[in-house]
């Protein structure tokens, strides 16, 4: 009996792992209480029985936390296979038995995070944890010895069938115990454990930072690794959960904050007060788009120029980029992003930390100021948002030990690396991929002017492929004319037409190549306005649509229409048609006429994913359904390196 | 005669140079020209209807050849031919009913009559009518009394045939021409009032606070929207500008002048906006017999977007736009390419557009089509001056306006030309 107890005391080590300094006190209690308790364990199991569905992590969680798990799982498997050769790799009863122990580890964390994490999923989990801990303590015993395998079993294979598993669990948990402990004993043990848990919880609440748990959290790994091999398995388990949860938490944190809505009173007011530029009057604003900031045209350039010296805190390089955005000299997602990053780079080079401030914080706020200035000049594209996020995370992750100059050089090289890897090299990879889809005799259609598509066309031309390019253009941007000019200079044979004639030319087209400003994680392609129409007509004519987009432009937001989020262009650009003097119907309108007329110049639209055949990205050619996968993997890559 | 010839030549020139804009104007002018042609036609003593048909056809073929893409010309020519046949037929039947004589239609059914000498004139008229008219419920019902009257007339019809025929001729010759001109006048009237007839139905289709999208400019659409506005409906209109002609600007201007809330959008924003639109109302260039629409360029895109978002796509078309032909490859064959100067500045791209000199094929083609073909499955409803119709019903509507003989003849002659 005592020996048994001793073996049962092994979990103590594990618990130490979870509650580092606080728990040791808790462990003796069950031992002392156990002998006195005599009630049958089965009385408790119904409760656990009914709850078992919730304590089993739903399969979604399993798959979601793949990253964390793959690290954790192999360890126990390898270390313990020798220990317990008889136990199969998959034993449902055991796995469930094991399951009841890790929740204990959860509780410690739970207490810390309960305030913050109030979502249903978490709530359920914490619940289950509490109840699970009230399972017969026999489970504990076994779990220490056996669960390594079951860890793997549960995670890899077993989104457990709930009810039957629970029953088995019941049986198995009682079976080994019956030999040595009475029901009462077990009940007592259990109660004592509950008490201990409550005590530890209270302690945790009091201290706020109980022991190892908080320290382990930011590291995303419990520090118990240093504990010896005997507890490796439990470490693995806890580790898994730790990673699980931290990943999940992080994901929650990463959830993009709601977009700033222009019509939001409080925020709008603040923005207006801070704004450098005059807000154009709200006349002739389309009602549907009042939530978007109105276009600021180049007429404000002189005004902004006059304010140059008042804006001394803006770095000149940033200022210059802002002016270029405003004037429309810089366009195209990549060009804008690179210009912005380079301006930031320059600003960082010239930066010096003011006294009694830390570089990390001050620089972040400084960058924030730059960004809000740029937003005022022109709303950011998704890709720029991603780049800024990258930069900010790099700043936040700067080791405190670095000196200022070191930090600055690190950041500058980080920016360089971002531009190089995520844009320049990514484009090269995209070229390679996309060129394989161009064959001799093809008629390729492209819309607007995408620099990636242009590079693809030129690259394929250099490879000696014989094809024809249909450049489709639309008023008022007429970017296609510039693209057409550049293609003609390189000797490509082209057809030029306007968007309206798309159905006429689509008969002969064999591929459609489109660029994108961003791709959302529901597969929606956010691109120059008109792209959706092109993709739709191509889809109607059964022509494959290839969207070429660097992965850094992917965004985890989702969008269904082109109205909730968009950018407004200059409304007056619509009424003017360059090179057409005969089109002047809207020149001399009376005030009454102007009152009723709204001009809408949208910049972007959202193409539904069903029109997209393939997305060519630096990770290869993927279907639109795989975008969220890339988004996830990509975020990890550039935030966690 | 010479002055009609001059008129015809003048009109031909206008058609060839695409001076006449809009199918309504074309249709009206064609009808007026044909009216004068008919009035100038010298009527022979026999076979007057055939003579009229012949002269109308001769002019019509030239008109159609002058602008084969402007289907309204052909439509009106066929309508006039149909009128001639109908008038002739009604005269024949009237003569028969009134005189109870064998006033057989002597122009076309000569052979028929020769083959069946035993049959009475009324029976022949009924037969000829059923050949002229496609079978419909109405003609079937009309035929019943005729066939019932056959035994009755056959008893008394035989003997007085020769005498009454010659007596009837002189009055009929003048009467036929007169009736035809009257009917053509009616046609012209129809064509010029079709807007009002269509606009009258606007209130039935536009409700309060509706959001309507249209592309380019069409007078029918303008009147339709204004009619609804006059009935105190308040609604909002999105007008796509319709590049490269930018007629949407014109329509938008007209609409705001009449006090309608109008938003001018680019053609590229159609897909973005269509999800917030309740109905798409557009004009058409021509409606084909299968219910397909030859429409201003860009409308196929709009129709596809409307289908994607389940927005009703309503086409307004006067009956002169109903074309009895079935389209084959209409995107190309029934299309017209306009000048590239509407899309590109010649000065800027002249080096690449040089087709005459240089080496081999030019690098740059500029495509600027005028029309789009919208297949019938994308159209929710046609609103014509006779009411609303499904695309699948178009062939039937067309059968009421045209006689089957003319379709075949016209097609042969146009293909010959």
């Amino acid at each position: 009996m005592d020996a048994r107890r001793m073996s049962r005391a092994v979990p103590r080590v594990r618990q130490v792992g979870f509650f580092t300094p606080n728990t040791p006190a808790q462990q003796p209690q069950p031992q002392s209480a156990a002998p006195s308790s005599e009630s049958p364990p089965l009385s408790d199991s119904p409760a656990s029985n009914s709850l078992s569905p919730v304590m089993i992590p739903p399969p979604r969680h399993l798959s979601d936390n793949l990253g964390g798990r793959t690290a954790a799982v192999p360890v126990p498997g390898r270390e313990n296979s020798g220990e317990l050769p008889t136990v199969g790799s998959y034993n449902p009863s055991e796995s469930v038995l094991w399951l009841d122990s890790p929740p204990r580890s959860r509780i410690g964390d739970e207490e810390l995070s309960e305030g913050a994490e109030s979502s249903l999923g978490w709530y359920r989990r914490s619940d289950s944890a509490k109840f699970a801990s009230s399972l017969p303590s026999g489970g504990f015993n076994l779990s220490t010895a056996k669960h390594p395998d079951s860890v793997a079993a549960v995670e890899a294979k077993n989104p457990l069938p709930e009810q039957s598993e629970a029953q088995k669990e019941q049986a198995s948990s009682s079976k080994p115990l019956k030999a040595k402990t009475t029901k009462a004993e077990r009940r007592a043990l259990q109660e004592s454990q509950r008490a201990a848990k409550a005590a530890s919880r209270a302690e945790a609440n009091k201290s706020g930072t109980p022991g190892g748990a908080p320290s382990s959290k930011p590291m995303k790994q419990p520090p118990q690794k240093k504990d010896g091999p005997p507890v490796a398995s439990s470490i693995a388990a806890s580790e898994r959960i730790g990673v699980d949860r931290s990943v999940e938490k992080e994901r929650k944190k990463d959830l993009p904050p709601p977009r700033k809505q222009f019509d939001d009173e409080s925020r709008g007011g603040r923005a207006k007060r801070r704004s450098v530029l005059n807000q154009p009057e709200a006349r002739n604003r389309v009602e549907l788009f009042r939530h978007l900031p109105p276009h600021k045209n180049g007429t404000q350039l002189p005004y902004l120029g006059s304010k140059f010296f008042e804006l001394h805190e803006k770095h000149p390089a940033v200022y210059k980029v802002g002016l270029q955005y405003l004037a429309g000299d810089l366009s195209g997602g990549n060009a804008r992003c690179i210009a912005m990053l380079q301006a930031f780079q320059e600003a960082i080079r010239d930066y010096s930390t003011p006294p009694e401030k830390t570089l990390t914080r001050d620089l972040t706020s400084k960058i924030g100021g730059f960004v809000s200035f740029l937003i005022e000049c022109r709303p950011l594209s998704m890709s720029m948002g991603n780049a800024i996020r990258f930069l900010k995370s790099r700043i936040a992750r700067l080791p405190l030990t670095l000196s200022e100059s070191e930090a600055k050089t690190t950041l500058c090289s980080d920016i360089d690396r971002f531009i190089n890897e995520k844009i320049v090299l990514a484009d090269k990879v995209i070229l390679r991929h996309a060129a394989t889809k161009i064959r001799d005799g093809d008629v390729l259609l492209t819309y607007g002017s995408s620099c990636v598509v242009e590079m693809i066309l030129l690259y394929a031309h250099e490879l000696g492929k014989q094809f024809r390019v249909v450049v489709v253009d639309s008023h008022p941007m007429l970017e296609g004319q510039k693209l057409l000019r550049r293609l003609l200079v390189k000797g490509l044979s082209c057809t030029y037409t306007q968007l309206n004639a798309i159905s006429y030319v689509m008969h002969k087209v064999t591929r459609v190549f489109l660029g994108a400003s961003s791709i959302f994680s529901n597969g929606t392609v956010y691109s120059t306005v008109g792209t959706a129409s092109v993709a739709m007509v191509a889809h109607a004519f059964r022509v494959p649509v290839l969207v070429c987009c660097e992965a850094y432009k992917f965004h985890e937001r989702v969008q269904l229409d082109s109205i909730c989020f968009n950018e407004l262009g200059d409304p007056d650009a619509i009424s003017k048609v360059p090179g057409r003097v005969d089109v002047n119907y809207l020149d001399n309108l009376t005030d009454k006429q102007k009152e009723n007329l709204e001009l809408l110049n949208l910049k972007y639209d959202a193409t539904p994913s069903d029109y997209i055949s393939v997305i060519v990205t630096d990770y290869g050619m993927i279907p639109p359904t795989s975008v969220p996968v890339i988004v996830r993997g990509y975020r990890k890559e550039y935030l966690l390196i | 005669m010479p002055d009609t010839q001059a008129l015809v030549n003048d009109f031909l020139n206008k058609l060839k140079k695409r001076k006449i804009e809009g199918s309504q104007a074309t249709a009206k002018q064609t009808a007026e020209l044909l009216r004068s042609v008919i009035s100038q036609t010298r009527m022979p003593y026999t076979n007057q209807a055939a003579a009229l048909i012949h002269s109308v056809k001769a002019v019509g073929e030239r008109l159609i050849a002058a602008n084969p893409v402007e289907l309204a010309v052909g439509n009106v020519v066929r309508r006039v031919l149909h009128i001639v046949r109908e008038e002739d037929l009604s005269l024949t039947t009237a003569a028969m009913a009134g005189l109870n004589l064998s006033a057989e239609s002597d122009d076309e059914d000569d052979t028929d009559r020769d083959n069946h000498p035993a049959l009475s004139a009324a029976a022949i008229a009924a037969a000829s009518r059923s050949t002229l008219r496609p079978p419909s419920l109405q003609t079937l019902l009309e035929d019943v009394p005729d066939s019932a009257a056959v035994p009755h007339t056959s008893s008394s019809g035989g003997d007085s045939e020769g005498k009454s025929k010659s007596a009837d001729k002189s009055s009929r010759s003048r009467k036929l021409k007169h009736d035809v001109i009257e009917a053509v006048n009616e046609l012209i009237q129809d064509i010029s009032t079709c807007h009002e007839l269509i606009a009258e139905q606007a209130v039935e289709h536009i409700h309060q606070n509706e959001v309507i999208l249209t592309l380019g400019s069409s007078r029918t659409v303008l009147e339709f929207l204004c009619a609804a506005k006059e009935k105190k409906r308040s609604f909002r209109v999105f007008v796509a500008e319709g590049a490269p002609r930018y007629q949407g600007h014109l329509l938008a201007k007209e609409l705001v002048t009449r006090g309608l809330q109008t938003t001018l959008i680019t053609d590229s924003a159609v897909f973005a906006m269509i999800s917030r639109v309740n109905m798409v109302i557009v004009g058409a260039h021509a409606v084909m017999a299968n219910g397909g629409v030859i429409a201003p360029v860009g409308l196929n895109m709009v129709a596809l977007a409307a289908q994607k978002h389940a927005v009703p796509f309503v086409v307004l078309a006067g009956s002169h736009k109903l074309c009895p032909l079935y389209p084959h490859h209409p995107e190309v064959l029934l299309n017209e390419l306009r000048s590239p100067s509407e899309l590109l500045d010649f000065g800027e791209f002249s080096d690449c557009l040089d087709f005459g000199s240089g080496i081999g094929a030019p690098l740059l083609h500029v495509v600027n089509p005028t029309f789009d073909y919208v297949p019938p499955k994308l159209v929710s409803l046609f609103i014509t001056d006779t009411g609303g119709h499904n695309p699948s019903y178009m062939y039937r509507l067309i059968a009421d306006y045209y006689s089957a003989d003319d379709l075949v003849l016209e097609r042969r002659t146009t293909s010959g030309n």
Side-chain angles (χ1 to χ4, degrees), chain A residues 76 222 294 300 368 389 421 432 456:
Chain A
Q300 300 214 10
R389 208 139 57 110
E421 274 180 21
R432 298 261 167 71
I456 290 168

Side-chain angles (χ1 to χ4, degrees), chain B residues 106-127:
Chain B
D106 38 6
D107 37 26
E108 284 153 14
D109 297 305
D110 280 346
T111 49
D112 258 0
R113 196 173 47 138
D114 294 342
N115 293 345
H116 312 280
L119 277 183
S120 77
I124 291 162

Side-chain angles (χ1 to χ4, degrees), chain A residues 189-203:
Chain A
L189 177 77
Q190 209 183 341
E191 263 160 21
S192 64
Q193 278 177 336
R194 218 179 284 160
K197 193 185 69 186
S200 73
R201 195 188 300 170
E203 232 177 86

Side-chain angles (χ1 to χ4, degrees), chain A residues 348-360:
Chain A
I348 288 171
R349 274 198 205 105
D350 297 345
Y351 170 83
S352 63
T353 320
E356 82 258 348
K357 278 190 178 169
T358 55
L359 178 133
T360 315

Side-chain angles (χ1 to χ4, degrees), chain A residues 27 81 93 111 245 266 270 308 312 353 362 409 421 446 463 479 482 509-510 525 535 539 550 580 598 601 613:
Chain A
Q27 210 45 41
S81 55
S93 65
E111 299 311 319
R245 311 188 60 242
S266 56
R270 199 147 40 92
F308 177 70
H312 56 274
T353 320
D362 189 53
T409 46
E421 274 180 21
T446 183
L463 291 181
E479 284 172 314
K482 292 169 198 153
V509 172
T510 54
V525 173
H539 183 256
E550 302 86 354
R580 292 284 297 281
E598 291 168 342
N601 184 3
S613 315

Side-chain angles (χ1 to χ4, degrees), chain A residues 226-494:
Chain A
K226 51 188 178 284
D227 290 18
V231 287
S233 57
S234 61
I235 287 170
S238 72
E239 199 176 76
R240 177 188 75 91
I241 284 148
V243 170
D244 253 23
R245 311 188 60 242
S246 60
V247 164
E248 191 122 341
K249 235 179 280 173
E250 192 175 277
R251 182 173 315 144
K252 226 162 259 174
K253 257 184 278 162
D254 276 357
L255 204 130
R259 287 188 191 108
K260 189 185 132 187
Q261 300 292 310
F262 187 75
D263 54 353
D264 186 340
E265 282 293 314
S266 56
R267 306 185 89 179
R270 199 147 40 92
K272 248 169 239 167
R273 251 178 285 122
R274 267 192 318 205
S275 72
V276 190
L277 296 175
N278 291 327
Q279 297 294 337
E281 76 278 43
R283 183 184 68 80
N284 282 357
R285 295 264 312 283
V286 182
E287 202 168 16
L288 216 47
F289 290 92
R290 291 208 193 274
H291 60 287
L292 298 177
H295 174 80
K296 302 181 190 74
N297 51 19
T299 55
Q300 300 214 10
L301 271 180
Y303 173 76
L304 197 62
S306 68
K307 285 191 79 175
F308 177 70
F309 293 105
E310 294 166 43
L311 299 166
H312 56 274
E313 78 270 19
K314 309 278 179 262
H315 191 273
V318 178
Y319 190 78
K320 182 179 144 203
V321 172
L323 287 185
Q324 283 175 327
Y325 287 175
L326 191 61
D329 295 344
L330 259 179
S331 61
N334 286 343
R336 277 168 74 198
C337 189
I338 290 174
M340 179 192 71
L341 284 175
Q342 282 170 346
F344 285 170
Q345 211 175 11
E346 237 169 273
I348 288 171
R349 274 198 205 105
D350 297 345
Y351 170 83
S352 63
T353 320
E356 82 258 348
K357 278 190 178 169
T358 55
L359 178 133
T360 315
R361 293 215 177 160
D362 189 53
L363 191 57
T364 311
S365 72
K366 198 114 194 188
I367 297 278
F370 294 159
V371 171
S372 59
F373 169 72
L374 292 181
I375 289 176
E376 260 186 65
C377 293
R378 190 182 160 182
L380 294 186
S381 66
M382 291 294 162
S383 54
M384 291 159 75
N386 280 342
I388 290 165
R389 208 139 57 110
F390 161 80
L391 181 60
K392 283 192 172 171
S393 81
R394 297 308 307 183
I395 294 173
R397 276 159 205 276
L398 280 177
L400 291 170
T401 53
L402 280 185
S403 73
E404 191 185 302
S405 62
E406 279 173 331
K408 277 158 64 179
T409 46
T410 319
L411 285 179
C412 287
S413 68
D414 276 342
I415 292 176
D416 273 334
R417 203 171 48 125
F418 185 88
I419 294 175
N420 204 33
E421 274 180 21
K422 300 299 172 197
I423 304 177
V424 178
L425 283 176
D427 281 345
K428 284 190 179 147
V429 177
I430 291 175
L431 292 193
R432 298 261 167 71
H433 284 306
T436 61
K437 294 290 169 199
I438 300 178
R439 289 176 300 197
D440 281 349
D442 264 351
V443 178
L444 312 176
L445 184 140
T446 183
Y447 175 72
S449 170
S450 155
C451 67
V452 189
V453 173
E454 184 185 346
M455 283 194 281
I456 290 168
L457 297 176
L458 293 178
Y459 178 72
H461 183 67
E462 276 166 29
L463 291 181
K465 303 201 175 181
Q466 299 295 315
F467 59 92
R468 183 165 195 89
V469 183
V470 180
V471 179
V472 180
D473 207 351
S474 80
H475 182 70
M477 294 292 280
L478 295 175
E479 284 172 314
Q481 292 191 2
K482 292 169 198 153
L483 174 72
L484 181 69
R485 182 35 89 183
R486 293 194 291 266
L487 292 179
L488 285 172
V489 165
K490 299 276 179 178
L492 280 80
S493 42
C494 298

